[in-house]
Amino acid sequence: MGTANDSSKDISDRLAEKHPKVVFVLGGPGSGKGTQCEKIVQHFGYTHLSAGDLLRAEKNSGSENGIMIQNMMNEGKIVPSEVTIKLLQKAMLDSGNDKFLIDGFPRNEENRAAFEALTKIEPEFVLYFNCPEKEMERRILNRNQGREDDNIETIRKRFKVFLESSLPVIEYYKGKGKVREIDAAKPVEEVFKEVKDIFNPKVPKVPKDENVEGRCMCCAIL
């Protein structure tokens, strides 16, 4: 009878056979990464996976794993990286796609190291939506009109956690030349223009004279 480790190895092997293209999407609360992920999905055919959404869905499913997640959250504990990674792997396999935006993960260095160790996958790059704290605050407060006093401290705490936990991940991938940083303070369409430049393959233009068939070299010179 197979063990849990055998099962994890099997799902990792099956996923590795697909040679998936993975892009980590990171940015603070209110940076607009969710909006941009929707546009990337529409224009470039990626599957968008949110680690937070997958955990919430599993928690609400009533499964044994979901009950464990619920209990950990109730106790204020952090769900182990392995649990989140298994949910991501299953969603990747179930999608039938081979191109993925993984949104809001890895949240910290431990997440990052565990993902690479368990999946044997390194991201193609990290798409980092860099947005000033004041602008992110303004966006979230506008989104949650009428509840400014209730949310301002929570927003600032979330931003502090992002700086402390996620910036080391960004710095790690910067050292590997894998960070594509976007100025996320701009309007949505201007931000997406920058995003498109990153995702569109750069195809060199062929001069017209070099792209004509049936011409001899002397004619080409002339």
Side-chain angles (χ1 to χ4, degrees):
M1 187 172 180
T3 66
N5 283 340
D6 291 335
S7 175
S8 296
K9 185 174 183 297
D10 178 56
I11 196 171
S12 296
D13 289 345
R14 285 163 58 205
L15 193 57
E17 286 171 7
K18 293 179 66 173
H19 302 291
K21 183 175 184 177
V22 170
V23 174
F24 289 148
V25 183
L26 296 176
S31 62
K33 60 188 175 64
T35 299
Q36 295 300 323
C37 281
E38 289 176 12
K39 289 179 172 290
I40 295 166
V41 168
Q42 291 167 7
H43 284 77
F44 298 103
Y46 279 72
T47 294
H48 178 206
L49 300 176
S50 162
D53 287 349
L54 289 172
L55 282 168
R56 282 186 286 275
E58 187 70 14
K59 180 191 75 173
N60 296 331
S61 71
S63 69
E64 185 178 338
N65 202 32
I67 292 167
M68 180 270 290
I69 291 169
Q70 178 72 70
N71 290 339
M72 293 195 76
M73 288 181 170
N74 289 345
E75 293 168 16
K77 295 179 180 177
I78 296 171
V79 177
S81 295
E82 289 80 0
V83 172
T84 306
I85 292 164
K86 282 177 188 174
L87 291 175
L88 286 166
Q89 287 179 304
K90 183 177 185 303
M92 289 165 80
L93 279 174
D94 290 348
S95 76
N97 201 353
D98 62 357
K99 300 191 297 184
F100 302 95
L101 301 172
I102 297 185
D103 179 3
F105 186 92
R107 289 184 179 275
N108 53 44
E109 268 289 281
E110 194 271 331
N111 280 174
R112 177 201 66 74
F115 182 88
E116 291 191 6
L118 290 171
T119 67
K120 305 295 187 276
I121 297 169
E122 275 199 34
E124 297 287 316
F125 57 87
V126 175
L127 190 61
Y128 170 37
F129 290 96
N130 191 359
C131 192
E133 183 177 6
K134 289 294 180 188
E135 174 61 17
M136 289 192 283
E137 272 183 26
R138 184 191 68 77
R139 290 176 182 179
I140 294 173
L141 293 176
N142 284 346
R143 229 161 42 193
N144 301 335
Q145 289 178 9
R147 303 189 324 190
E148 289 88 348
D149 293 336
D150 294 336
N151 286 314
I152 191 71
E153 288 307 316
T154 303
I155 295 165
R156 287 175 180 166
K157 282 178 185 174
R158 285 170 64 199
F159 185 72
K160 186 178 179 211
V161 168
F162 172 75
L163 289 179
E164 291 174 351
S165 301
S166 297
L167 279 188
V169 176
I170 292 164
E171 289 304 315
Y172 172 84
Y173 284 117
K174 268 187 182 174
K176 297 175 78 86
K178 288 193 166 191
V179 173
R180 308 292 181 265
E181 188 169 330
I182 299 283
D183 179 0
K186 295 178 181 178
V188 171
E189 289 307 321
E190 287 185 33
V191 172
F192 189 55
K193 186 175 182 302
E194 285 191 40
V195 170
K196 282 193 293 187
D197 288 342
I198 290 168
F199 280 85
N200 273 326
K202 302 291 188 295
V203 180
K205 291 183 180 179
V206 179
K208 287 183 181 179
D209 284 348
E210 293 178 19
N211 197 30
V212 178
E213 295 181 3
R215 291 178 63 184
C216 66
M217 288 305 296
C218 58
C219 292
I221 294 169
L222 292 173

